[in-house]
């Protein structure tokens, strides 16, 4: 299987804004473009879709070339086999949900394939009971689920999503998120997802691309990228790493669930998911403390051996410590004074106490 099946190289200029991106991305899974407003995330998505035609660019996906400026090749948007989901659902207000979903199916000739796809998509996104409704009778979360379904109906080679949760409140975001997680599990197509939310990135990303001022700061596996101390994310208040884990045991009498990861075993708040379930665990740097000796009496259940692999200071008296626990990376935020008192330095073996974790469903 190819590990870099998407090539995205684009250069363009808007006044003083210079956009220059050169990426090799996986041909499957979810790639999240993360960065602040105006950094170029949506511009990159529009270039992929053909809505922008940069004078210098190349875009290919799994062997299909849609743009190559050196060969004077540019496939227009309507000829690109893609799905695009915007911030707003943009449903046709005069059509029912069923008619909105059926609108684009005329472009596909295989009727049986259409029917099969329709059934799979509507069941996956939980919208079967909404088919007779008009868009005005849908909640914000329901509208976005219909918009995602409409994009998937055409059996696209790639799904582009431009901050699809940005217009929703926190309750509606949590309503839609489980369906987004199902997409990456059920459909073997690459998804490019734009957001400025680190929480969404942690929940969804297989690959994370950090952008700033029209350029790529970093790109790689989400677990690796979030753990880098040379990136500004590591210094933020909500800095966190994401570990892949599997449920190994439940302790109902204590309302705890035990999971196993390549970083070590952890006890988490009770979940009703069955044994063997794979999940993501988010560990915030603020919840990781460091001790030089294994604590013998502590209320903190999650204590792991680790080795310091990097240290960096900021201007507010805080030190970001990068650690290796087993095969995985951790971050810890400690004071500069604690760093000096403990004589923390790269290569030093320590123990980490993880005061809190959160499951990313």
């Amino acid at each position: 299987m190819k590990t870099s099946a998407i090539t995205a190289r684009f250069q363009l200029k808007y006044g003083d804004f210079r956009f220059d991106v050169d990426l090799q991305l996986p041909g499957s899974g979810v790639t999240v473009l993360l960065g602040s407003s105006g950094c170029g995330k949506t511009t990159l998505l529009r270039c992929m879709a053909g809505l922008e035609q940069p004078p210098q660019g190349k875009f290919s996906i799994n062997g299909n070339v849609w743009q190559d400026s050196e060969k004077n090749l540019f496939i227009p948007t309507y000829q690109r086999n893609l799905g695009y989901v915007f911030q707003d659902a943009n449903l046709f207000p005069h059509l029912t949900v069923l008619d909105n979903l059926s609108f684009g199916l005329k472009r596909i000739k295989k009727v049986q394939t259409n029917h099969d796809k329709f059934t799979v998509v509507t069941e996956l996104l939980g919208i079967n009971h909404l088919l007779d409704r008009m868009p005005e009778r849908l909640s914000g979360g329901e509208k976005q689920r219909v918009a995602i379904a409409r994009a998937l109906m055409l059996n696209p080679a790639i799904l582009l999503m431009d901050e699809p949760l940005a217009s929703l409140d926190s309750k509606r975001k949590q309503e839609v998120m489980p369906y987004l997680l199902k997409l990456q599990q059920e459909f073997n197509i690459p998804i490019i997802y734009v957001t400025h939310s680190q929480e969404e990135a942690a929940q969804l990303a297989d690959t994370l691309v950090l952008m700033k001022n029209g350029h790529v700061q970093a790109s790689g596996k989400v677990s690796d990228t979030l753990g880098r101390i040379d990136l500004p994310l590591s210094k933020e208040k909500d800095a966190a790493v994401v570990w892949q884990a599997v449920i190994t045991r439940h302790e109902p009498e204590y309302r705890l669930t035990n999971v196993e990861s390549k970083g070590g075993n952890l006890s988490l708040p009770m979940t009703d998911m069955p044994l063997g379930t794979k999940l993501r665990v988010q560990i915030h740097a603020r919840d990781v403390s460091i001790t030089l000796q294994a604590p013998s009496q502590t209320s903190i259940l999650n204590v792991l051996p680790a080795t310091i692999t990097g240290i960096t200071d900021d201007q507010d008296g805080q030190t970001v410590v990068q650690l290796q626990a087993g095969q995985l990376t951790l971050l810890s935020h400690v004071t500069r004074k604690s760093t000096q008192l403990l004589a923390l330095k790269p290569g030093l073996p320590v123990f980490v106490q993880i005061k809190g974790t959160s499951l990313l469903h």
Side-chain angles (χ1 to χ4, degrees):
M1 180 180 293
K2 295 180 180 179
T3 57
S4 296
I6 297 177
T7 295
R9 292 201 299 267
F10 303 109
Q11 294 180 1
L12 55 82
K13 183 179 179 181
Y14 295 121
D16 294 332
F17 180 74
R18 293 180 179 272
F19 182 79
D20 190 346
V21 166
D22 187 349
L23 283 168
Q24 298 292 320
L25 301 172
S28 62
V30 180
T31 295
V32 170
L33 309 180
L34 179 65
S36 58
S37 298
C39 71
K41 304 184 302 295
T42 296
T43 298
L44 176 53
L45 214 65
R46 288 176 59 83
C47 288
M48 291 179 170
L51 297 172
E52 299 278 355
Q53 185 176 355
Q56 300 295 323
K58 181 173 183 178
F59 183 58
S60 65
I61 171 173
N62 294 327
N64 296 313
V65 181
W66 289 352
Q67 180 178 353
D68 191 338
S69 56
E70 293 183 358
K71 297 181 179 180
N72 198 30
L73 171 67
F74 182 82
I75 305 298
T77 301
Y78 71 91
Q79 292 182 348
R80 299 188 182 195
N81 183 22
L82 60 86
Y84 203 118
V85 181
F86 297 88
Q87 290 185 24
D88 297 317
N90 291 325
L91 302 179
F92 297 113
H94 62 290
L95 298 180
T96 65
V97 168
L98 176 60
D99 291 335
N100 265 279
L101 297 179
S102 302
F103 185 81
L105 291 178
K106 300 175 183 178
R107 292 171 51 186
I108 303 177
K109 297 180 180 179
K110 296 181 180 179
V111 177
Q112 184 61 41
T113 299
N114 291 354
H115 176 74
D116 293 344
K117 189 73 174 183
F118 188 93
T119 301
V120 170
V121 171
T122 54
E123 288 182 354
L124 177 71
L125 290 166
I127 58 174
N128 284 320
H129 66 293
L130 304 174
L131 297 179
D132 293 330
R133 291 194 192 176
M134 303 298 289
E136 64 182 14
R137 295 182 55 213
L138 301 177
S139 69
E142 289 170 341
K143 288 179 181 178
Q144 283 303 83
R145 283 154 56 196
V146 173
I148 295 168
R150 184 174 61 181
L152 290 171
M153 286 297 173
L154 299 178
N155 197 26
I158 188 171
L159 181 62
L160 307 176
M161 309 186 78
D162 189 2
E163 299 200 65
L165 304 185
S167 63
L168 305 180
D169 58 32
S170 58
K171 182 177 180 180
R172 296 307 178 194
K173 286 182 180 180
Q174 293 308 310
E175 170 194 322
V176 177
M177 185 60 72
Y179 297 100
L180 295 179
L181 293 171
K182 290 180 183 179
L183 293 183
Q184 62 181 339
Q185 299 167 1
E186 298 294 331
F187 293 97
N188 189 29
I189 61 171
I191 299 173
I192 312 296
Y193 186 99
V194 165
T195 184
H196 61 268
S197 167
Q198 187 173 337
E199 181 180 357
E200 289 178 33
Q203 286 181 284
L204 293 172
D206 298 306
T207 300
L208 183 61
V209 177
L210 301 181
M211 297 191 64
K212 182 179 181 180
N213 298 330
H215 294 76
V216 173
Q217 279 188 307
S219 176
K221 292 182 180 180
V222 63
S223 55
D224 296 335
T225 307
L226 289 178
R228 287 177 51 178
I229 61 172
D230 60 325
L231 298 174
L233 281 180
S234 68
K235 298 178 177 62
E236 293 184 0
K237 178 183 178 181
D238 292 328
V241 297
V242 174
W243 285 9
Q244 299 285 348
V246 61
I247 295 177
T248 55
R249 187 161 65 100
H250 294 299
E251 296 183 273
E253 68 273 26
Y254 300 118
R255 302 298 297 166
L256 293 173
T257 290
N258 297 322
V259 302
E260 182 180 276
S261 77
K262 292 182 178 180
N265 298 332
L266 299 172
S267 293
L268 308 176
M270 185 76 177
T271 175
D272 59 2
M273 290 184 286
L275 300 183
T277 299
K278 295 180 179 179
L279 42 76
R280 295 185 182 200
V281 178
Q282 186 177 49
I283 305 173
H284 284 91
R286 61 173 179 264
D287 291 329
V288 178
S289 64
I290 298 173
T291 177
L292 299 183
Q293 298 179 347
S296 58
Q297 295 180 330
T298 176
S299 63
I300 297 175
L301 296 177
N302 295 319
V303 180
L304 300 174
T307 301
I308 296 176
T309 53
I311 294 179
T312 183
D313 273 340
D314 64 16
Q315 300 301 314
D316 298 319
Q318 175 182 267
T319 297
V320 181
V321 182
Q322 182 188 60
L323 305 115
Q324 188 82 10
Q327 300 178 40
L328 300 180
T329 300
L330 271 177
L331 295 177
S332 177
H333 285 174
V334 299
T335 63
R336 188 178 302 162
K337 183 175 182 178
S338 294
T339 303
Q340 293 179 357
L341 289 174
L342 295 176
L344 302 182
K345 60 183 180 180
L348 181 68
V350 297
F351 290 87
V352 292
Q353 299 184 110
I354 303 173
K355 294 174 283 186
T357 59
S358 57
L359 292 178
L360 299 178
H361 297 289

